[in-house]
Amino acid sequence: NIGCIGDIYPACSSSQRDASMNIIFSKTFKNVWILSLSNAIAGSTLPLMHLAGALAGSSLSPSPDWATAPIALMILGTACSVLIVTKSMQKLGRKVGIYVFLGVGLFVCLLAAFALQIRSFTLFCVASFILGSFNATLLQARFAAMESVDIEYKTTAASMVMGAGIIAAFIGPELAIIGKDLSATAFQGSFLMAGLCIVISSCMLVFYNSATPIEESKNHKKVSTGKLFSNPTFFLAVASGAIAYVVMSFLMTGTPISMHEVYGHSLIDTKWVIQSHIAAMFLPSFITPIIVRHLGIRGMMLLGLICYCIGIGVGFVNTSPQGFWIQLVMLGIGWNFLFIGGTTLIPSTHHQDDRFRAQSMNDFTVFSFQAAAALSAGWALNLIGWQPMVLMCLIPVIAMLVVLLWERFKVTRRNSLD
């Protein structure tokens, strides 16, 4: 009995539960706390970009169809840079790798501010694309945290890093609004304040110590990408993260424009909906270890799909600020259950020597799908409108349910043969 990670390690004694509650305040979790808080401060750049970037992009873009291009390019940049970021961390170590890309993030904030000043949509899109590498780095923090603790606490470590995003959820949009009129150029001050957050985050990381590198087994043969994806559980983990992001990104990217410009809701209401959505993405992280313990990882994924269905239903019938709020909150909760579920499954699907390949393949696939969803959001909003766009999200939800049932069948069949 080595852990309490739901249906991977189902046996979990009461003494282990007590230990898991106490250990998060011990020195063992120092790295997890530092990564969580640092990630939250630096990560405020991303919700800021979702709000300010969408509205600034709308004012700069040559056509309404391209209004969501900066957000989509940021996500595409994340997908394209995942392999580079993970390889850099493998060669340089987690800490040095994080510092390198924090520097990239600071440069991008300054570049975006300059692009707004000269009103260059192209340069703003370039900045958004490069910001993707910064986003990919922040996402690696969940794996760095999991590597810092024993196997039975990996779910808790990942949940803490994700949960700290609640701070970013409120700081980012607030900075977007506060910085909007700090200079003669709208939203320029927002990106300068985001750069300051990255500097603060860098100072916090001074106290972080990378986990001792795991020596690779000399006799282990590296697994191919095809072999990784042939594992039904790895496929489920990746699918869970990909579909979590596809639905969330498709609707979240279109929300600021839909609320503020299509339905005429105020910027304050739009900001509150975005803040609440991002808070809902991360706040459930504080209870996900409990949910996993009682429902198992697959049960939590199913719960995430139910949340998505509720959000889709409300979004289809109600376009008031309250309707948008309920829809985006349910999407945030559903995203959390699906994404953390996939993240927690990943380490159990491969040999430890293949962790960087598995992590990079997972993130590359997830964010490639997210980029496609974000890029198509502006097109769909202009072509078919908000409510049909919301209804389209039932397609990936049904696909995820099929994958869940398929993986369960494959694992059950394999266990019966063994």
Side-chain angles (χ1 to χ4, degrees):
N1 182 21
I2 58 174
C4 318
I5 311 182
D7 44 9
I8 301 177
Y9 305 106
C12 186
S13 67
S14 59
S15 61
Q16 283 179 306
R17 294 191 187 103
D18 293 338
S20 64
M21 292 300 294
N22 294 330
I23 198 168
I24 64 173
F25 300 107
S26 69
K27 290 183 178 180
T28 303
F29 263 62
K30 186 190 81 168
N31 276 343
V32 179
W33 281 105
I34 293 171
L35 287 167
S36 299
L37 296 176
S38 173
N39 228 44
I41 301 299
S44 62
T45 304
L46 304 174
L48 180 151
M49 184 64 178
H50 274 283
L51 182 58
L55 296 176
S58 180
S59 67
L60 292 177
S61 64
S63 165
D65 291 343
W66 292 98
T68 61
I71 308 302
L73 286 170
M74 179 182 72
I75 300 165
L76 181 62
T78 301
C80 292
S81 61
V82 161
L83 299 178
I84 298 173
V85 169
T86 52
K87 199 68 176 178
S88 298
M89 290 190 178
Q90 186 176 11
K91 296 294 184 183
L92 303 175
R94 293 287 191 191
K95 186 171 184 175
V96 176
I98 292 173
Y99 266 121
V100 168
F101 289 99
L102 283 177
V104 171
L106 179 58
F107 166 75
V108 166
C109 288
L110 299 177
L111 184 63
F114 177 68
L116 291 174
Q117 183 175 341
I118 64 173
R119 295 195 58 79
S120 172
F121 182 67
T122 300
L123 188 59
F124 190 72
C125 285
V126 169
S128 300
F129 181 80
I130 302 174
L131 188 64
S133 64
F134 173 72
N135 185 27
T137 304
L138 296 181
L139 288 163
Q140 283 293 307
R142 72 194 194 277
F143 293 119
M146 292 167 73
E147 290 168 4
S148 300
V149 298
D150 293 334
I151 191 169
E152 63 263 37
Y153 304 117
K154 289 187 183 295
T155 302
T156 303
S159 296
M160 285 178 63
V161 173
M162 301 299 295
I166 189 72
I167 300 173
F170 284 94
I171 292 178
E174 287 295 339
L175 292 182
I177 299 300
I178 293 170
K180 178 178 180 291
D181 299 316
L182 282 183
S183 70
T185 303
F187 295 111
Q188 184 181 47
S190 305
F191 286 96
L192 294 177
M193 295 176 76
L196 179 61
C197 286
I198 293 175
V199 172
I200 294 172
S201 174
S202 299
C203 294
M204 297 173 68
L205 278 173
V206 170
F207 303 99
Y208 164 67
N209 296 308
S210 298
T212 304
I214 301 173
E215 290 189 10
E216 295 189 359
S217 173
K218 295 180 180 179
N219 297 324
H220 175 67
K221 183 180 180 180
K222 294 293 180 68
V223 69
S224 66
T225 301
K227 188 70 174 177
L228 274 174
F229 278 98
S230 67
N231 181 337
T233 305
F234 181 80
F235 189 90
L236 172 66
V238 175
S240 184
I243 290 173
Y245 264 109
V246 162
V247 177
M248 183 276 292
S249 184
F250 189 63
L251 296 181
M252 181 185 177
T253 303
T255 293
I257 297 171
S258 180
M259 280 193 71
H260 189 55
E261 298 186 4
V262 177
Y263 291 103
H265 301 313
S266 71
L267 187 59
I268 298 300
D269 283 339
T270 304
K271 180 200 73 170
W272 174 240
V273 167
I274 295 298
Q275 283 179 317
S276 299
H277 166 71
I278 301 175
M281 288 171 64
F282 299 110
L283 194 58
S285 299
F286 297 108
I287 62 169
T288 46
I290 300 172
I291 295 174
V292 168
R293 189 178 302 139
H294 288 88
L295 299 181
I297 291 177
R298 293 161 185 82
M300 186 170 72
M301 289 176 176
L302 183 59
L303 189 59
L305 292 177
I306 293 172
C307 290
Y308 269 3
C309 288
I310 294 172
I312 290 168
V314 172
F316 182 72
V317 302
N318 190 342
T319 56
S320 69
Q322 293 75 23
F324 272 102
W325 186 87
I326 294 171
Q327 177 190 11
L328 269 292
V329 166
M330 294 309 297
L331 286 175
I333 296 171
W335 175 89
N336 183 282
F337 293 161
L338 287 165
F339 186 66
I340 289 187
T343 295
T344 306
L345 270 183
I346 291 290
S348 70
T349 62
H350 56 81
H351 191 277
Q352 64 181 16
D353 291 353
D354 299 311
R355 65 191 184 283
F356 284 104
R357 176 183 289 273
Q359 292 165 13
S360 62
M361 286 298 101
N362 173 72
D363 284 3
F364 175 76
T365 304
V366 167
F367 296 110
S368 294
F369 275 92
Q370 186 193 7
L375 189 58
S376 62
W379 169 81
L381 188 59
N382 283 284
L383 183 66
I384 62 175
W386 177 251
Q387 288 168 305
M389 178 177 166
V390 170
L391 205 58
M392 282 178 60
C393 292
L394 284 174
I395 297 172
V397 169
I398 294 171
M400 179 60 195
L401 182 60
V402 171
V403 172
L404 259 174
L405 295 173
W406 170 78
E407 189 269 349
R408 175 54 69 188
F409 170 76
K410 286 287 189 179
V411 170
T412 303
R413 185 180 179 185
R414 183 181 60 197
N415 290 341
S416 64
L417 291 175
D418 292 343

